[in-house]
Amino acid sequence: MAKKYIITTKEEDRIIAFAKELSTLDNGYWHSVLNDTAYPNTTCYAYDADGKIAEVDGSEQAKIGEPIEIPAKVKAEKYCYTAEDGFFENPDYEEE
């Protein structure tokens, strides 16, 4: 199992990305440091081991804790995640 941060859609709780290192940009967007990819905090949640990371406006940085243990079977798009329910299969996912 790997330890990573989780980025999900707010609307569906669908996992769209994992990040080994996570920060926030000046505009409050979540930033996957190693992939240099930004995710809008207006449409995405970010999770650490303590649960959902509080959103920030551009005036402060989010307090980001430790990453989450990700089971090997969990894949982006195929799974969803919430702090309350943990990992669960995406009911709308279809194999290609």
Side-chain angles (χ1 to χ4, degrees):
M1 285 197 270
K3 284 190 169 190
K4 297 179 182 176
Y5 299 97
I6 300 172
I7 309 291
T8 69
T9 61
K10 285 186 176 182
E11 198 169 295
E12 304 158 322
D13 300 315
R14 177 174 42 93
I15 298 172
I16 56 172
F18 298 104
K20 287 186 179 183
E21 289 185 39
L22 187 70
S23 68
T24 54
L25 300 175
D26 290 341
N27 61 4
Y29 282 19
W30 308 111
H31 180 232
S32 175
V33 176
L34 298 178
N35 294 337
D36 195 24
T37 305
Y39 301 92
N41 63 347
T42 54
T43 60
C44 299
Y45 289 128
Y47 292 90
D48 63 16
D50 296 326
K52 190 177 349 178
I53 301 170
E55 293 180 23
V56 294
D57 55 17
S59 64
E60 62 181 43
Q61 293 288 317
K63 292 178 177 65
I64 299 172
E66 294 296 312
I68 299 170
E69 287 279 346
I70 310 295
K73 69 176 184 174
V74 173
K75 306 286 185 237
E77 301 296 337
K78 189 173 183 176
Y79 278 81
C80 299
Y81 181 84
T82 66
E84 299 80 26
D85 299 325
F87 298 100
F88 55 97
E89 287 190 29
N90 177 356
D92 298 324
Y93 180 78
E94 294 182 18
E95 291 284 340
E96 294 183 9

